[in-house]
Amino acid sequence: MAEKGKSGAFHTLHHMCLVVRDVDKAMKFYESIGIGPWHDYPPLDEFSELKMPDEAAFKALKFKWAQIGPIQLQMVTPPPGGSPQRKFLEEHGEGVFHVGFVVDDVDAAEADVVKRGVEVFMRGRRKNGSGFTYFKTADKGAGVTLSIRKSPPAK
C-alpha cells in the first residue's frame, strides 16, 4: 500500500497562483526583489473545451508567470465579470487562489480525484490533450483550491 500523500494527483507541485489587483504593478514589485523574469501565460483561447462559470471572463484573465527553482509563481488579475478569481478578489482580497500540481495524464488524474470524492470546480482542455482541472477544495479542509495540469508539449 502506498504511503499516505505519496500517490494520486497531488504529488508533484508545479505552481502557486496569486490573485492580484494589478498584475503589472505586482510584477514590478517582484522584479525589484529579484523574482523574475516574468512571462505571458499562453493564450487562454487555446482551450477548446471549457467548463467554468464565465468563459468570457476566463479568457480575459491577465496572467503572468515566473520560474523560481522547480516551482512556478503565477499571478492573475481578473476582469470584471463572473470568474472565480474575481469573486475571490472581492471576498478575500489579494492572495493565493490555487496551488497547482503537474500530472502525466490530466483526464486519468481528474477521474482519480473524483473517485476520491472531490468535486470538479473548473476544467479546460486543449486539442493536444494538455489542460487543467480545478477542484472544490478551498472550503473542504484544504484552505485553498487545488488544481492539476498537464503542460502543453514544448515548442
Side-chain angles (χ1 to χ4, degrees), residues 33-116:
I33 60 170
I35 297 176
W38 290 88
H39 309 277
D40 291 325
Y41 197 81
L44 298 175
D45 60 4
E46 289 181 356
F47 292 97
S48 57
E49 177 192 330
L50 286 171
K51 175 196 171 211
M52 54 195 47
D54 185 334
E55 189 174 316
F58 169 78
K59 289 183 176 181
L61 293 169
K62 187 172 183 180
F63 267 106
K64 297 284 186 179
W65 65 271
Q67 196 69 37
I68 305 172
I71 306 300
Q72 201 177 87
L73 180 61
Q74 299 177 355
M75 292 188 296
V76 61
T77 296
S83 74
Q85 293 87 343
R86 171 56 60 186
K87 182 178 178 186
F88 179 91
L89 184 61
E90 290 172 357
E91 292 179 1
H92 304 284
E94 297 176 305
V96 177
F97 175 71
H98 76 268
V99 176
F101 297 80
V102 66
V103 297
D104 292 330
D105 181 331
V106 71
D107 292 322
E110 177 185 302
D112 178 64
V113 175
V114 168
K115 188 170 85 176
R116 294 172 188 246

Side-chain angles (χ1 to χ4, degrees), residues 13-30:
L13 184 62
H14 181 269
H15 67 272
M16 291 189 326
C17 183
L18 309 176
V19 172
V20 296
R21 285 183 176 76
D22 183 336
V23 76
D24 294 316
K25 180 180 175 184
M27 183 178 62
K28 287 177 186 170
F29 170 76
Y30 279 105

